[in-house]
Amino acid sequence: MILKRISFFAFLLAFLFCFPFRVLGAENHEEAEKGLDVKEIIFEHLGDGYGWEVPFNHNARFPLPVILRAKDHKWFCFSSSELTELEEHTGADGKVERHLVPVVKTIKRDGKEYNFVIAKISSHKDKIVEIFPLSAEQQAYLDKKLADARSASDADGFPVIDGYVCVAGKYYSEYRPLDISITKNVAALFIVVLLVIWMVLGLANYYKKRDLRAPRKGMGFFELLVSFIYYDNIKPTLGDKAAKFAPYLLTCFFFILTMNLVGLIVIFPGGANLTGNIAITLVLALCTFIVTNVLGTKHYWKEIFWPDVPIWLKCPLPIMQLIEVFGIFTKPAALCVRLFANMMGGHMIVITLTLLIFILAAFGPAVMGGATVVSVLFSIFMLLLDVLVSFIQAYVFTLLSTLFIASAQESHDEHEAHVHADGESHAEAESELNKEKVLLSKEAAAVDFK
Amino acid sequence: MELFTPDFGLVFWMFIAFLLLFLVLAKWGWPVIIKMMDKRAATIDRGVEEARQAHEQLENARAEAEKYVQEARSRQAEMLRETARMKSEIIEQARAEAQEAAKKEMDAAKIAIEQARKEAELQFRTEVGRFSIDIAEKMVRSRMQDDKAQTELVNKLLDEIEKN
């Protein structure tokens, strides 16, 4: 059995070594010579998009609805497929290359013409902007700016100028409309929501049907997670109030966990980097902020504005109050950034490792072959680590939310009683935080290593 | 950069999606699951407790039964002993009674025999008396045939009476 496995891996490695030679033998070094815009590729993979890539096809997108409010407050809705076009051109060696390029979408309504385009050379890169032809005044301003920029960089390119967008070599003035399009991330969000609802209601229905019989297999595993979060985390921390906050915390956990894991899948339904996008984690942290502070007890607010410290720390100069109020905002901010940075970091490392192959291709086939083996092995390792990180980050987010909420739920007498007993749970939370820090530093080290 | 600056559209949809998810799950999902898990945990705890109690009760019952069996056995032995004693007693008693009855019977027989003997004696005596008188009469008659013998006898008898 083991021998079989070893021989399998040996075969795999041999295959990986051969592959680049064959590819390089067939193609010229054009790609490597051109140089890769690594940053561009990474952010294209991690970022949002108006369409969803069809698996294994770079030039096809599943169209998604675009919803916009133009400058004159009119709403527009159309398919994202109308914003791109497949452009073909024949290379010097007779090869046909296809690229997806943005085109201007023109809509006529009430005798007026509205033009939308996905901006490429603009401060709103890869976003839809409404474009207007330039007035004479704007043209003069733009010419001046362009001349400045071109003389500074000694090139004839099309520099990014604030408030203007360059489409096919021509500049227009731009307006970023209110954009609530169903983008790739939004669509993935809906898929995740449906997935979580399906899982949770599935388990709830199971219980309704089978009463007290324990679920098996997948559902049993799901229930294991629920009981792990509820009985090991929420219940001991919140006590009597566990039932009140459990729905929010459990929803948070499973939503984040599912988003993290779906984000690790490379192709459709996955492939959207949700938790590695700050908008998502911001909303989650904001929800915890609202739940913590809106439902906070009188004692919690008293601890903020009149804490139990020597009087000179709070009376003439409100030092403690300042720190506490600052703390209200830093706690959820930390939640937001922690989840975002961890997930985005993980994705970025995997993509960078993969890109390493193409970057090192410039040094010849042997180096590329070696790089391929190393990158693939490292990528697999990192992806596995990311599965772990997905769980840990969802858990840490829930754990810390629980702690924040619990700290805002303490009443006066409880606080008195807890003063001594709290040492332990604090130590526990701290050790958890330390673990987290170690993990973060490891990941940071991994990033630095690149 | 897009990743670091929250996009309004995404924030908007995320908020709606999360709120929707939360409302649906808070209404139909989590309370059911938590209630059921609590209920099942309670049921299992109770089951364990009940099993323990049942086991205890069984042990108790077994001990009780053992006790009863032991008691019954000892009572049985007691009864057997008692019966044996009673048996010998009854036999003894019967024997005594039989002896007594036999004795009584014998006594009665003895008395009857005595009576019969006395009656027979009496009868015999009268018979003998009557015989002797008859004999005497005959003798006397024979002797009285000569006068001398008669006088001699009378004298002799008179002498005898005088002597007495």
Side-chain angles (χ1 to χ4, degrees):
Chain A
M1 195 66 201
I2 292 169
L3 203 73
K4 219 172 158 188
R5 265 187 210 170
I6 291 173
S7 59
F8 172 72
F9 273 111
F11 174 75
L12 197 74
L13 287 182
F15 176 74
L16 287 174
F17 265 116
C18 298
F19 191 61
F21 292 100
R22 279 183 47 230
V23 170
L24 285 186
E27 280 186 32
N28 56 14
H29 294 259
E30 197 188 338
E31 189 73 9
E33 278 162 13
K34 242 194 257 166
L36 288 166
D37 191 349
V38 176
K39 202 178 134 198
E40 166 80 26
I41 292 173
I42 289 175
F43 282 100
E44 194 203 317
H45 275 84
L46 293 181
D48 208 348
Y50 288 98
W52 204 327
E53 298 91 341
V54 174
F56 311 114
N57 185 342
H58 283 299
N59 293 324
R61 299 271 188 278
F62 291 119
L64 293 167
V66 173
I67 306 165
L68 298 167
R69 195 183 68 172
K71 201 175 186 177
D72 56 1
H73 295 201
K74 282 210 174 83
W75 287 94
F76 293 90
C77 181
F78 51 90
S79 163
S80 69
S81 62
E82 291 167 43
L83 286 166
T84 49
E85 209 169 60
L86 202 59
E87 191 187 67
E88 273 185 28
H89 58 84
T90 316
D93 52 351
K95 263 203 165 63
V96 177
E97 283 187 28
R98 295 188 178 84
H99 294 289
L100 216 52
V101 291
V103 290
V104 177
K105 160 81 177 163
T106 306
I107 300 171
K108 286 203 175 78
R109 193 190 282 179
D110 305 331
K112 209 174 151 192
E113 215 171 70
Y114 298 88
N115 296 301
F116 300 102
V117 71
I118 298 176
K120 285 290 170 196
I121 304 169
S122 154
S123 47
H124 302 292
K125 192 173 179 314
D126 290 327
K127 296 282 170 206
I128 293 179
V129 290
E130 191 179 359
I131 55 174
F132 306 97
L134 299 173
S135 65
E137 197 179 310
Q138 281 171 328
Q139 187 67 56
Y141 171 78
L142 186 73
D143 284 344
K144 191 169 151 280
K145 276 272 178 187
L146 274 178
D148 283 354
R150 280 172 182 161
S151 67
S153 66
D154 275 336
D156 258 5
F158 299 103
V160 173
I161 290 162
D162 263 351
Y164 296 90
V165 58
C166 177
V167 181
K170 207 176 157 217
Y171 277 91
Y172 300 90
S173 87
E174 66 174 359
Y175 168 75
R176 171 96 174 100
L178 187 71
D179 184 357
I180 51 165
S181 309
I182 308 296
T183 55
K184 176 176 133 186
N185 279 350
V186 176
L189 205 59
F190 291 158
I191 290 173
V192 169
V193 164
L194 290 178
L195 212 62
V196 175
I197 286 181
W198 174 68
M199 286 195 296
V200 177
L201 293 192
L203 187 62
N205 278 339
Y206 178 90
Y207 278 135
K208 273 181 199 155
K209 253 184 259 160
R210 304 282 185 90
D211 199 41
L212 288 175
R213 284 177 57 192
R216 307 265 179 243
K217 293 177 183 169
M219 243 181 223
F221 181 67
F222 180 63
E223 198 213 70
L224 178 83
L225 285 179
V226 177
S227 72
F228 168 61
I229 295 299
Y230 184 67
Y231 289 110
D232 291 355
N233 179 11
I234 300 173
K235 199 82 187 262
T237 317
L238 279 164
D240 298 341
K241 286 165 179 155
K244 185 177 167 189
F245 294 102
Y248 169 70
L249 294 165
L250 285 168
T251 307
C252 260
F253 177 78
F254 285 102
F255 192 38
I256 296 172
L257 181 65
T258 317
M259 282 197 291
N260 289 349
L261 292 178
V262 167
L264 289 181
I265 303 169
V266 184
I267 52 167
F268 180 84
N273 168 34
L274 285 174
T275 34
N277 191 313
I278 205 155
I280 303 287
T281 59
L282 183 78
V283 173
L284 287 167
L286 204 68
C287 288
T288 295
F289 174 79
I290 291 168
V291 171
T292 308
N293 292 295
V294 171
L295 299 175
T297 55
K298 209 187 274 174
H299 181 76
Y300 166 70
W301 290 108
K302 190 226 144 207
E303 280 296 306
I304 286 169
F305 292 111
W306 200 251
D308 271 338
V309 289
I311 195 92
W312 53 271
L313 275 175
K314 54 188 175 178
C315 195
L317 274 171
I319 304 168
M320 282 311 287
Q321 284 91 326
L322 219 82
I323 294 171
E324 292 279 359
V325 170
F326 193 61
I328 296 176
F329 296 100
T330 49
K331 280 182 203 164
L335 274 186
C336 164
V337 173
R338 176 183 298 112
L339 180 57
F340 160 68
N342 270 289
M343 291 322 292
M344 195 200 59
H347 288 259
M348 210 177 253
I349 289 168
V350 174
I351 295 174
T352 315
L353 278 169
T354 313
L355 281 176
L356 215 57
I357 301 170
F358 302 98
I359 295 167
L360 292 178
F363 297 102
V367 177
M368 190 181 172
T372 310
V373 175
V374 173
S375 312
V376 169
L377 290 180
F378 267 95
S379 300
I380 291 170
F381 172 71
M382 280 313 296
L383 275 171
L384 290 177
L385 194 67
D386 275 346
V387 173
L388 186 68
V389 170
S390 294
F391 177 79
I392 291 172
Q393 286 311 317
Y395 178 65
V396 165
F397 189 97
T398 317
L399 180 85
L400 292 179
S401 292
T402 317
L403 285 178
F404 296 157
I405 292 171
S407 75
Q409 290 300 317
E410 239 167 39
S411 65
H412 186 66
D413 28 315
E414 259 173 40
H415 178 75
E416 298 283 296
H418 279 207
V419 165
H420 301 290
D422 250 13
E424 207 175 315
S425 70
H426 270 290
E428 216 171 88
E430 222 144 81
S431 75
E432 201 67 45
L433 275 175
N434 280 341
K435 266 188 233 160
E436 164 83 356
K437 269 180 202 156
V438 169
L439 212 79
L440 268 174
S441 63
K442 266 184 199 161
E443 225 157 80
V447 175
D448 288 345
F449 171 71
K450 300 282 132 42
Chain B
M1 225 171 297
E2 183 206 339
L3 281 176
F4 304 97
T5 48
D7 183 51
F8 173 77
L10 196 52
V11 169
F12 171 79
W13 286 115
M14 171 64 188
F15 202 75
I16 288 181
F18 187 65
L19 202 72
L20 205 79
L21 180 72
F22 170 68
L23 290 179
V24 169
L25 296 188
K27 178 109 177 64
W28 293 292
W30 302 121
V32 178
I33 292 171
I34 288 170
K35 208 182 88 195
M36 269 303 173
M37 286 200 310
D38 278 342
K39 200 170 144 194
R40 192 171 62 206
T43 311
I44 290 169
D45 283 353
R46 212 173 50 233
V48 168
E49 180 61 22
E50 267 167 13
R52 202 182 58 76
Q53 276 177 0
H55 189 73
E56 219 163 66
Q57 271 172 6
L58 190 71
E59 284 295 301
N60 282 350
R62 199 168 284 159
E64 196 110 312
E66 191 68 21
K67 211 177 79 190
Y68 277 127
V69 166
Q70 210 65 35
E71 201 170 296
R73 211 165 275 161
S74 70
R75 198 176 285 175
Q76 183 200 27
E78 180 87 2
M79 271 162 90
L80 280 177
R81 258 202 312 278
E82 182 82 356
T83 329
R85 197 178 55 77
M86 266 166 80
K87 192 180 88 181
S88 57
E89 218 167 61
I90 286 167
I91 290 170
E92 204 61 32
Q93 202 177 348
R95 192 174 287 159
E97 262 170 26
Q99 264 173 359
E100 203 167 320
K103 203 181 150 205
K104 255 186 206 165
E105 203 91 335
M106 233 138 90
D107 282 356
K110 261 182 202 162
I111 290 166
I113 291 168
E114 190 72 12
Q115 205 127 3
R117 198 179 55 96
K118 270 180 188 164
E119 265 173 29
E121 234 173 30
L122 212 62
Q123 207 176 345
F124 186 65
R125 203 188 282 173
T126 48
E127 290 268 310
V128 169
R130 211 173 58 229
F131 278 147
S132 50
I133 289 165
D134 280 349
I135 294 166
E137 202 188 85
K138 269 175 192 160
M139 262 170 58
V140 166
R141 215 170 269 167
S142 65
R143 286 246 184 133
M144 283 316 151
Q145 273 161 0
D146 75 81
D147 288 340
K148 199 191 150 194
Q150 274 176 23
T151 334
E152 237 174 86
L153 185 63
V154 171
N155 283 347
K156 199 182 154 191
L157 278 172
L158 282 172
D159 282 349
E160 255 172 43
I161 290 160
E162 269 177 16
K163 265 185 207 168
N164 280 346

